[in-house]
Amino acid sequence: MTSKDGYSWTEAQGLKAGVPSIGVIQPPTNLEGKDSTYDVIVVGAGYTGLATVRDATLAGLKVLLIEARDRIGGRSWSSNIDGYPYEMGGTWVYWNQPNVWREIARYDMQDDLESSYDFSQGINKFLLSNAKGVQKFTHEEEDTLMASALTKLINVDGNLAKDTVRFPHSATIEPSARKYDYMSVADRLREIGDDLSPNERACAEAWVLLASGATLETSSFYELLHWWALCDYSYEGCINSLIHYKFRRGQSSFAIRFFQEALSTGNLTYTFNSPVATIKESQNGVQVITRDGRHFSARKMVSSIPLNVLGDVKFDPPLSAGKTKAASIGHVNQTVKVHAEVAEKDLRSMTCVSYPHNSLIYGIADGTTPAGNTHVVAFGGSHSHFHPEDNVKYAIDAFKGFSPMTVQRLVFHNWSRDEFAKGAWFFSGPGLLADHLQDMRASTQHIVFACSDWAKGWRSFIDGAIEEGTRAAAQVVKALATDKSAAKSKL
Amino acid sequence: MTSKDGYSWTEAQGLKAGVPSIGVIQPPTNLEGKDSTYDVIVVGAGYTGLATVRDATLAGLKVLLIEARDRIGGRSWSSNIDGYPYEMGGTWVYWNQPNVWREIARYDMQDDLESSYDFSQGINKFLLSNAKGVQKFTHEEEDTLMASALTKLINVDGNLAKDTVRFPHSATIEPSARKYDYMSVADRLREIGDDLSPNERACAEAWVLLASGATLETSSFYELLHWWALCDYSYEGCINSLIHYKFRRGQSSFAIRFFQEALSTGNLTYTFNSPVATIKESQNGVQVITRDGRHFSARKMVSSIPLNVLGDVKFDPPLSAGKTKAASIGHVNQTVKVHAEVAEKDLRSMTCVSYPHNSLIYGIADGTTPAGNTHVVAFGGSHSHFHPEDNVKYAIDAFKGFSPMTVQRLVFHNWSRDEFAKGAWFFSGPGLLADHLQDMRASTQHIVFACSDWAKGWRSFIDGAIEEGTRAAAQVVKALATDKSAAKSKL
């Protein structure tokens, strides 16, 4: 099945919109012939929506899932080209991510993971480039350099931030840490000044931009500390948690399990290709109106609409002032993630930083394609933003900014122009979390707002999405059970 | 409510059997007036059984929970004396334990944790004693010594065992690691010989015995490597995961959430004080007969009976040869865990190893009691086993083996004499896992055997129990749904 989302390019085929994915749902709806009474409407079929729908249908609720796209997964999905998965968004998982790992264990998929890295072949180097040229390091030297750079950047308390973000899974930002949310990473870099060697500075800045997809000035320093704490306060933990283990058959092979399980209950109705225009809440429940004018009603609703597009849906009555403000500020991540299939087999063990002159900043060899070529994944963002589909040659040149290579294929999803995401994973600018995290998390009488963008723990991650979906389902199941017993006691 | 389980002692009251706990369920059954048709019978109300029951009732199944004791929690429960929790068994949790953490997040209890440690007061030392006397170290020196000792012990591959136990959450023991399961820790210690300084050796051995509750000869070296891998391959990880964060109001404040949620569905029937004598399986389902002669039937059953007592229940037809063998071998953990309330406030920051001469080997100050006294928790085991209730003075003297102290209260559960546990948390002797892990995990046609003792990841831990309960519920829900659709298609 081919999604409308994503792009691929080869010399022979040129640029093509839409890539195949096992996450595309066909037929796109099972509305026909269904009873149209729902307990819950869930808007959005990313991991938050999928976890909500799975838990709620298992609990016996009649659920309607409404999704704007033709596929599940939201900002995490894999294209499957010649059977090989290219991850268009969220990719890596690790066993210190509790919500995602609980599901991996539950679906017995713990042996379906593989390492992105293979440090055994060819040019087994870390390439650190700037405008003047390239330096080559062993991966051990890379680890030492990165660890030193990041440690200096985050070590605000002389204890690797362990005394500053003590409980990274709490929804509360500790009072002593709030000031860091009003600082940008650029502020912090000015604070530590010359502590960083030029190479350390390049590595630290490239790493921050890899995390935030933004600029040093627009990235909250607290959110970086929060990532660091989640990753067990070490560079090695960051590597393990953020960019190491992925699904052998792609993210969509995982997401589809939630969908299929929900479907198997007989309690799931769904409609894809159905962007939502208006959400009306009244004393009795919620009405959802799609752009094509269909009306759906339910007692409760779960919105998993991401922060950056929440303002595009009309809420009646309007969202709270705090939520409206947060949505208007938005998050700052405009990551450009591009995959390249390259002819050079001996690049399989390469990692690279090319900064600050290059539009792709961070790259790693991510696998070997069915044709035996090397698969390189690379990241850029607001620092030097570009739209790969507008200028394929520019994108290819950005890959060459890492190392000479013969690019035979590009695969990517332009998250910045995606009207249902308007950005990649959540990363906050200064002040947003300190001022509005609780606003973003707040529910109304009948609507739970659940999204990885405001998760307690692994905010921005698949784990945070499942955390939020789990919370939403539990909240709705409880509320409806309470309604039911209240109704009974009135009889 | 007071459980029959556990003991307390004070000078004034003497030794008393039974301690108060919020995990005691009153009334002990809600069988009366219930329809006696069940989809599933769950035997055992530890975390495995609780997770099974919670998930299965939420999924709409009619569940009967049968528990031998008067309380929930199995090998993890807290007594609550003067409102203060003493943890009788499983205590500590951490956010790299995915199944337990998912539940903590789901029940919004992530802010209910506190640190056992408070390194800010009085005798802020690590006391390392042997028969000759006591050495005092700072906690930084303790960390250095412990890390060095454990690193030497586990470093079989020059990479901190990372190349040996690469995927600690897999149910498969990697072929290259199997040989370590046929080795005891004593074998490994002989292998590294003089690499350990005398202090390192004392620390390493004490730590192993803390983990296993057994002896160096009877502890599988692989299982130790597995713990190490689960703890992110570092001593700091071990501390964080194993002995750092606990529930402010005790384990039973967490366990009760599962029970209450299951009860709120209306699908849970339960009977406590109901040891099971016989389990009969036929083509159509399972019949469970209690010692007092009551018969219960259901289509499916989940046994969360621990390995060391599995042989005490009669199965008809008998358990498989592999399972029978595993149960007859059993696990080796005979931990003696004892709490003391001591008058010395200035011991609040103390940690201790007293080895090999003392019967309590490892102790830490674990809290401050409502009376302002220090709460010390200590561990012994097969190395120099004793039954505290047989000789309170001996137990008090073992505490004094750490440091002079005035013991005002003892609280403990004798797991070795507990007929429903016959030991503490699972720890395997050499060969058991390599030979029988898959046997222990195997289901029959209608019975799922689920227990932390054979979990994939955090085996022995609360996390492993919830992992197993999650698996069991999902398996039973799926099987009954399949039966139902098969039945429908026959109509």
Side-chain angles (χ1 to χ4, degrees):
Chain A
M1 234 68 76
T2 298
S3 174
K4 282 177 282 189
D5 281 352
Y7 289 92
S8 67
W9 171 92
T10 62
E11 186 71 53
Q13 303 199 330
L15 184 73
K16 268 177 62 178
V19 295
S21 172
I22 56 174
V24 175
I25 302 301
Q26 278 293 347
T29 179
N30 67 350
L31 268 168
E32 206 169 327
K34 289 264 172 165
D35 179 352
S36 66
T37 311
Y38 309 107
D39 295 309
V40 194
I41 294 172
V42 176
V43 176
Y47 277 104
T48 300
L50 290 173
T52 308
V53 158
R54 198 269 319 261
D55 284 5
T57 55
L58 277 179
L61 299 184
K62 297 289 175 192
V63 178
L64 172 66
L65 173 64
I66 304 180
E67 165 61 49
R69 309 176 188 279
D70 54 14
R71 60 172 183 80
I72 57 171
R75 285 172 283 177
S76 297
W77 69 294
S78 45
S79 70
N80 305 85
I81 295 177
D82 301 338
Y84 183 85
Y86 293 94
E87 295 289 0
M88 313 302 278
T91 303
W92 292 281
V93 296
Y94 192 56
W95 43 85
N96 71 344
Q97 294 168 341
N99 299 283
V100 77
W101 197 262
R102 184 260 187 188
E103 300 301 335
I104 289 172
R106 189 171 175 281
Y107 288 126
D108 206 25
M109 292 178 77
Q110 70 283 339
D111 296 326
D112 286 12
L113 298 182
E114 64 180 6
S115 173
S116 282
Y117 298 109
D118 173 0
F119 288 164
S120 71
Q121 298 181 39
I123 301 171
N124 195 353
K125 290 290 180 194
F126 169 53
L127 313 178
L128 176 56
S129 307
N130 59 25
K132 290 182 202 151
V134 57
Q135 303 172 72
K136 296 181 183 181
F137 298 94
T138 66
H139 291 301
E140 290 70 30
E141 289 167 338
E142 173 188 11
D143 289 348
T144 305
L145 184 58
M146 278 285 186
S148 167
L150 290 185
T151 301
K152 288 179 184 176
L153 180 62
I154 61 80
N155 202 1
V156 290
D157 52 15
N159 195 22
L160 300 172
K162 291 176 192 175
D163 300 334
T164 305
V165 186
R166 291 182 304 160
F167 299 103
H169 290 266
S170 171
T172 310
I173 301 175
E174 293 181 70
S176 61
R178 289 177 60 87
K179 64 181 174 196
Y180 297 116
D181 195 50
Y182 294 104
M183 276 174 73
S184 69
V185 174
D187 292 334
R188 171 62 181 169
L189 284 164
R190 280 186 284 273
E191 194 171 82
I192 58 174
D194 296 336
D195 282 5
L196 295 170
S197 72
N199 278 347
E200 285 174 343
R201 177 172 288 271
C203 286
E205 293 187 6
W207 179 267
V208 170
L209 299 179
L210 171 68
S212 77
T215 68
L216 301 170
E217 292 288 354
T218 57
S219 302
S220 156
F221 181 51
Y222 173 81
E223 193 62 339
L224 192 76
L225 292 175
H226 186 236
W227 279 42
W228 176 260
L230 289 166
C231 296
D232 283 332
Y233 310 92
S234 76
Y235 171 68
E236 186 185 1
C238 290
I239 289 292
N240 281 336
S241 300
L242 305 180
I243 196 163
H244 198 164
Y245 297 104
K246 60 178 182 172
F247 287 96
R248 207 168 266 128
R249 293 174 295 131
Q251 271 296 337
S252 297
S253 72
F254 180 47
I256 197 75
R257 302 293 290 267
F258 292 75
F259 185 77
Q260 285 168 341
E261 188 176 0
L263 207 52
S264 76
T265 64
N267 293 326
L268 177 62
T269 307
Y270 60 84
T271 177
F272 285 77
N273 305 315
S274 305
V276 165
T278 305
I279 295 170
K280 291 187 185 177
E281 184 174 9
S282 69
Q283 201 59 26
N284 301 322
V286 181
Q287 187 181 46
V288 179
I289 306 165
T290 57
R291 287 192 195 161
D292 57 13
R294 289 172 294 157
H295 289 56
F296 302 100
S297 295
R299 312 256 303 286
K300 298 286 173 187
M301 196 196 105
V302 175
S303 164
S304 70
I305 302 167
L307 184 66
N308 281 9
V309 294
L310 193 55
D312 298 342
V313 173
K314 187 183 170 202
F315 282 84
D316 174 14
L319 297 173
S320 72
K323 220 184 269 289
T324 302
K325 187 73 195 288
S328 76
I329 296 169
H331 75 76
V332 293
N333 189 331
Q334 297 296 328
T335 286
V336 178
K337 180 183 187 185
V338 192
H339 298 278
E341 181 174 7
V342 307
E344 289 75 10
K345 293 177 171 47
D346 64 353
L347 292 182
R348 177 65 186 93
S349 300
M350 171 197 67
T351 58
C352 339
V353 163
S354 188
Y355 176 81
H357 60 300
N358 203 40
S359 280
L360 289 174
I361 295 171
Y362 196 96
I364 66 166
D366 194 11
T368 300
T369 68
N373 296 323
T374 298
H375 161 207
V376 179
V377 60
F379 296 85
S382 295
H383 168 74
S384 176
H385 200 269
F386 70 106
H387 298 290
E389 72 273 27
D390 288 354
N391 191 339
V392 165
K393 184 176 177 311
Y394 186 86
I396 291 174
D397 285 344
F399 273 97
K400 292 181 180 169
F402 293 129
S403 174
M405 55 178 85
T406 313
V407 175
Q408 298 187 336
R409 185 194 309 271
L410 295 177
V411 188
F412 58 92
H413 182 130
N414 186 336
W415 295 103
S416 296
R417 281 187 180 155
D418 180 329
E419 67 166 322
F420 305 120
K422 292 190 176 173
W425 62 88
F426 175 93
F427 205 96
S428 51
L432 177 68
L433 290 169
D435 294 344
H436 295 298
L437 179 57
Q438 302 312 327
D439 291 326
M440 293 189 268
R441 293 181 59 79
S443 303
T444 63
Q445 189 187 358
H446 295 303
I447 307 176
V448 180
F449 292 85
C451 183
S452 181
D453 292 9
W454 45 85
K456 292 184 283 199
W458 289 91
R459 192 161 47 239
S460 316
F461 292 83
I462 297 164
D463 190 82
I466 299 174
E467 177 204 309
E468 281 284 288
T470 303
R471 169 176 79 100
Q475 204 169 318
V476 164
V477 168
K478 193 173 173 185
L480 290 175
T482 310
D483 282 9
K484 208 181 281 179
S485 65
K488 261 189 198 164
S489 70
K490 277 187 198 160
L491 295 177
Chain B
M1 232 70 73
T2 297
S3 174
K4 283 178 283 191
D5 282 350
Y7 289 93
S8 68
W9 171 91
T10 61
E11 187 71 53
Q13 303 200 328
L15 184 72
K16 268 178 61 177
V19 294
S21 172
I22 57 173
V24 176
I25 302 302
Q26 276 295 347
T29 180
N30 67 349
L31 268 169
E32 208 170 329
K34 289 262 170 166
D35 179 352
S36 67
T37 311
Y38 309 107
D39 295 309
V40 194
I41 294 172
V42 176
V43 175
Y47 276 105
T48 299
L50 291 173
T52 307
V53 159
R54 198 269 318 260
D55 283 5
T57 55
L58 277 180
L61 298 184
K62 296 290 173 191
V63 179
L64 172 65
L65 173 65
I66 304 181
E67 165 60 50
R69 310 177 187 278
D70 54 14
R71 60 171 182 80
I72 56 170
R75 286 172 282 177
S76 297
W77 68 294
S78 45
S79 70
N80 305 85
I81 296 176
D82 302 337
Y84 183 85
Y86 294 95
E87 295 289 359
M88 313 302 277
T91 304
W92 293 281
V93 295
Y94 192 55
W95 43 86
N96 70 344
Q97 295 169 340
N99 299 284
V100 76
W101 197 262
R102 184 261 189 187
E103 299 302 335
I104 289 172
R106 190 171 175 281
Y107 288 126
D108 206 25
M109 291 178 77
Q110 69 284 338
D111 296 326
D112 287 13
L113 299 182
E114 62 180 7
S115 174
S116 281
Y117 298 110
D118 172 1
F119 288 163
S120 70
Q121 297 181 40
I123 302 171
N124 195 352
K125 289 290 180 194
F126 169 53
L127 312 178
L128 176 57
S129 306
N130 59 26
K132 291 183 200 149
V134 58
Q135 304 171 71
K136 296 182 184 182
F137 298 93
T138 66
H139 292 301
E140 290 70 29
E141 289 166 338
E142 172 188 13
D143 289 347
T144 304
L145 183 58
M146 279 285 186
S148 168
L150 290 185
T151 300
K152 288 179 183 177
L153 181 62
I154 61 79
N155 202 1
V156 290
D157 53 15
N159 195 21
L160 300 172
K162 290 176 193 175
D163 300 334
T164 305
V165 186
R166 291 182 305 160
F167 299 104
H169 290 265
S170 172
T172 311
I173 302 176
E174 293 181 69
S176 61
R178 289 176 62 87
K179 64 182 177 197
Y180 297 117
D181 195 49
Y182 293 105
M183 277 174 73
S184 69
V185 174
D187 292 334
R188 171 63 181 170
L189 283 163
R190 281 187 284 274
E191 194 172 80
I192 57 174
D194 296 337
D195 282 5
L196 295 170
S197 72
N199 278 347
E200 284 175 342
R201 177 172 288 271
C203 286
E205 293 187 6
W207 179 266
V208 170
L209 299 179
L210 171 67
S212 77
T215 69
L216 301 171
E217 293 288 353
T218 57
S219 301
S220 156
F221 181 50
Y222 173 80
E223 194 62 340
L224 192 76
L225 291 176
H226 186 235
W227 279 43
W228 176 261
L230 289 166
C231 296
D232 283 332
Y233 310 92
S234 76
Y235 170 69
E236 186 185 1
C238 290
I239 289 291
N240 281 335
S241 299
L242 305 179
I243 196 162
H244 198 163
Y245 297 103
K246 59 177 183 174
F247 287 96
R248 206 167 267 130
R249 292 172 297 132
Q251 270 296 337
S252 297
S253 72
F254 181 47
I256 198 75
R257 301 294 291 267
F258 292 75
F259 185 77
Q260 285 168 341
E261 188 176 1
L263 207 53
S264 76
T265 63
N267 292 327
L268 177 64
T269 307
Y270 60 84
T271 177
F272 285 77
N273 306 314
S274 304
V276 165
T278 305
I279 294 170
K280 292 186 185 177
E281 184 174 9
S282 67
Q283 202 57 28
N284 301 321
V286 182
Q287 187 180 47
V288 179
I289 306 165
T290 57
R291 287 191 195 162
D292 57 13
R294 289 172 293 157
H295 289 57
F296 301 100
S297 295
R299 311 257 303 288
K300 298 287 173 188
M301 197 196 105
V302 175
S303 163
S304 70
I305 302 167
L307 183 67
N308 281 8
V309 294
L310 194 55
D312 298 342
V313 174
K314 187 183 168 202
F315 281 85
D316 175 13
L319 296 173
S320 73
K323 220 184 268 289
T324 302
K325 186 74 196 290
S328 76
I329 296 169
H331 76 76
V332 293
N333 189 332
Q334 297 297 328
T335 285
V336 178
K337 181 183 187 184
V338 192
H339 298 277
E341 181 173 7
V342 308
E344 289 76 9
K345 293 177 172 45
D346 63 354
L347 293 182
R348 176 66 186 94
S349 301
M350 172 196 66
T351 59
C352 339
V353 163
S354 188
Y355 176 82
H357 60 301
N358 203 41
S359 280
L360 289 174
I361 296 170
Y362 196 97
I364 66 166
D366 194 12
T368 300
T369 69
N373 297 323
T374 297
H375 160 207
V376 179
V377 60
F379 296 86
S382 296
H383 168 74
S384 175
H385 200 268
F386 69 106
H387 297 289
E389 71 273 28
D390 289 353
N391 192 338
V392 164
K393 184 177 176 311
Y394 185 86
I396 291 174
D397 286 345
F399 273 98
K400 291 180 179 169
F402 293 128
S403 174
M405 55 178 86
T406 315
V407 174
Q408 298 187 337
R409 185 196 308 272
L410 295 177
V411 188
F412 58 92
H413 182 129
N414 186 337
W415 295 104
S416 296
R417 281 186 179 154
D418 180 329
E419 66 166 324
F420 304 120
K422 293 190 176 172
W425 62 90
F426 175 94
F427 205 96
S428 52
L432 178 67
L433 290 170
D435 294 344
H436 295 298
L437 179 55
Q438 301 313 325
D439 291 328
M440 293 190 269
R441 293 181 59 78
S443 303
T444 62
Q445 189 187 357
H446 295 303
I447 307 176
V448 180
F449 291 85
C451 183
S452 181
D453 293 9
W454 45 85
K456 293 184 284 198
W458 288 92
R459 191 161 48 239
S460 317
F461 292 82
I462 297 164
D463 190 82
I466 299 175
E467 177 204 308
E468 280 285 287
T470 302
R471 170 176 78 101
Q475 204 169 315
V476 164
V477 168
K478 193 174 174 184
L480 290 176
T482 309
D483 284 9
K484 206 180 284 176
S485 63
K488 261 190 198 162
S489 69
K490 277 186 199 161
L491 294 178

